[in-house]
Amino acid sequence: MASMERKHEICSPFIPQRNTLRKTSAEIVSEARHSLRIQSTQRPFTPRDGQRQLFGKRSARTDCDNRPPSTFSLHSQNFDAPDSRPGSGTRLSPLDHKPKFPVPCDAEDPFKAFPKPPTDPLEVRRGLAGARARLLRTGSLTTLPPVEGYADVKERLKPGPGQKQLSAKGLAVTDHTEVHGGPHKPGPRRTASESRIMWPGVDSGVRPTECRAGWRTGLGNGDDTTSTEEDVESLVWNNAVAPLLQQLEAVAAGSSEGSMDHLCDLCDSLHGTLAEGDMLGRRCKRRSGILRTLFRLIDFNSVQLNLHIAKLCLALCVSGNNLLNICKLIFKISRSESNDILFQNNSIIDSLLGVLSSEDVSASGEALLYCVGTLKFLSGNSAILRLLLDKNCLGVAQKLIQRLYIVEDTFFTIAGHIFVQLTATLRNLADHPDSRPLFVSFSILPELCQVLRHHHKDQEICTNISRIYSKLSSYSECRLALAQTPGCYQLFLELLSKHHQKQDLVVRLLFTLGNLTAKSDEARQQLFQCKGCMDTLLQLYDSYQQRNDSPHKPSKKGPLSRSKSTAATVVSEQEYEDVLVKLVRVFANMCIHPAVGPALANNTACIQLLMETLEMRSVEESEELLVNVAATINNLSFYQEESSVLRHSQLIMAKLMLKLVLSSSMDAMLEATRVYGNMSQSKDVRDFIMQNKVHQFVVTLLDSKSTEMCFSACGVLTNLALDPTNRVSLSLEGATTKLADCLKDLGAGDWQLAGQVCQALWNMVGGGSEKLLDAQEAESLLEILTAYSDQEDALKCTENEDARDFHRACWELEFLPIAQKLIKILQPVVLTA
């Protein structure tokens, strides 16, 4: 007895009781091995929609009356020709009299009605009623070579004696001075940027059918620079823009097989000419004439031409119904994957991002919806996905989210529609590795939590965001950003409770929680301390636990169909199981925290559900689930409090583990062996193992050449050898020989394993059991131990300094003390032989 007591002091059971008052170096080393192991699993698969639609087939918005359509037709008559009417939408009452124009207007051809440019565009003209401020919208447009005739404009702008050189672009930004009713009084000159400020709702140009009578009759006194600017615009219009428009109409009238390419080239030339003349945006007073011509070209139904038209229309800052129809036109083109190449070779993406950055949600909500829907489709293309990241799509998205918050109270429905498209776009962007730091730097992950709070009833928005989180939470920087978002754990639990029947949402939220709790003790505790945490998770477990109907077991149906009559049902059963895999993983990770583990080990409902899963499932059909359940039980078995529910269920657990040990799955074998390593501290469990010959299987695991498998097997053998009656049985199975071989083959590379092998050997042959070793075995073992006890030889293969320190600690604390004790009892055996 004294010998046994001394042995127990030296070699404690495999998993010792945790000493809460003192943390030894050995415990630090042991933690490095993760005796309580986090569980990993695959991210839920996200299927791609078969067709490009605003809302998928399963959308809850299918029957919603105000849901915008994905399919529609567009023609020129759908557009409003007088796009330059006041932005307020207020129609002005007609005048009672008809003005007399000195220059006749031709309604059929408005271009003939334009006045001829003066011979000297710099002549001072006074009498203009006033100067309108103008809205300038900048665009990232490449300046194209001007068409023939534009050189004449520049020729007219050559300076005379004593005059400075002027250009069309330079004149367009000339400072404007205030117009007074009396004689002209010079005042302070404003900068170009000041002169471009436009009051909301102010018209920005004269329609092409209007004859500029005031320009010829000289009403009142005017400003030199204002007159000059208008003269230059007239020159550019008459010599460059109008000819291009006439060419467009001529080519369109005689359209042939190759005319589409010609029309595209003319649109590009028109775009470049307007950009060179600083006439984009709403600056051009005859822009409605340009738009009318462009709108008529849409009826040709050419995808490539329509993209050129759309880009130019957006550069001209169409608004209202025209903006909506242009966005719908682009959306319609983007629905076909074959058109993706056109978006790659066109700057239309810049135009779309510009619309998202500038347009008011309350005024142009539906246009923004189709705009974001287009980006959703395009972001499914890997090449365009890279372009979107380079063009700051994530930054634009973050600003749009904030603007949507502002109008949600009044425009909640359209904001929700836009959020569906926007979150789906972000879901696609999250696939690219370069997007991860951008999601963090733009604080999009916390922003999406806020979206979840506002739209917690919307399953589509919640599911899209859960997909983003499930993708990004696998990476440390994104996981940290999400974990630091206040209230995210409580929010996820509330969503799990509210949408417990929506499997694709539930499984992704659980996967995200599993990622958050995998590496952070703080996350484990915060989740556990949330209100209703265990109730919510256990209710989910019970709901998704598939039970076979039997007389002694109540019938409980989960949220999915359990019919086995169709092939689709097989997928549903797998969906059931996928939820349980992710849910059990959360339990396994949570119980690593020293304050959470004991609570879970003493939770009757939790233990019963885990045992029920083991009983109902087979390893062949549910390998990952049963491995996760076994890992959770292994972690919980670390907490061996007297009152623990798990402790009182150890024998039942040991019986349920047999199916894993005897399976063909190496992962299942490993986890079951770990459970036996912890639970074999119980005499009842040790007896069960010996009676059912599990020890024979454990001894064979020493031949696996796997350090993890051998370490777990040595743990079981260490505890089994505590009973003298078991030592002989183990020796007959060749346990000592296999332990010595394991030490020789794997010990030098893993000193923790070497220490565990020595502990098993000590329990086998120490305390008077040396006779179980024959002389040859004793000599071979003594030779190995002596060689490994030399520090210089033992640590010479260590690669770097950190690894060397770790190996030295393991060697000094876990291997050397027990090895020296073994050497002392082996030396007399060898000498006697």
Side-chain angles (χ1 to χ4, degrees), residues 277-296:
D278 202 17
M279 297 166 68
L280 291 176
R282 303 181 75 89
R283 293 185 59 80
C284 180
K285 294 186 176 181
R286 303 170 178 88
R287 59 190 290 279
S288 58
I290 302 174
L291 292 174
R292 266 196 295 270
T293 301
L294 294 176
F295 294 158
R296 285 196 292 269

Side-chain angles (χ1 to χ4, degrees), residues 546-549 557-558 560-564 569 573 576:
Q546 287 179 286
R547 296 176 172 88
N548 297 321
D549 295 334
K557 294 185 178 180
L560 302 175
S561 171
R562 297 184 60 227
S563 171
K564 298 184 178 180
T569 310
E573 291 179 355
Y576 266 108

Side-chain angles (χ1 to χ4, degrees), residues 254-295:
S255 61
S256 60
E257 185 175 348
S259 61
M260 290 303 109
D261 290 337
H262 192 189
L263 288 173
C264 291
D265 292 339
L266 287 173
C267 285
D268 279 343
S269 297
L270 178 60
H271 199 155
T273 300
L274 293 173
E276 178 70 18
D278 202 17
M279 297 166 68
L280 291 176
R282 303 181 75 89
R283 293 185 59 80
C284 180
K285 294 186 176 181
R286 303 170 178 88
R287 59 190 290 279
S288 58
I290 302 174
L291 292 174
R292 266 196 295 270
T293 301
L294 294 176
F295 294 158

Side-chain angles (χ1 to χ4, degrees), residues 1-13 722 724 727 762-763 766-768:
M1 287 295 296
S3 175
M4 287 294 294
E5 288 175 0
R6 286 195 302 271
K7 183 185 71 170
H8 283 202
E9 288 176 0
I10 297 171
C11 297
S12 57
L722 287 174
R727 296 173 195 166
W762 175 257
N763 282 8

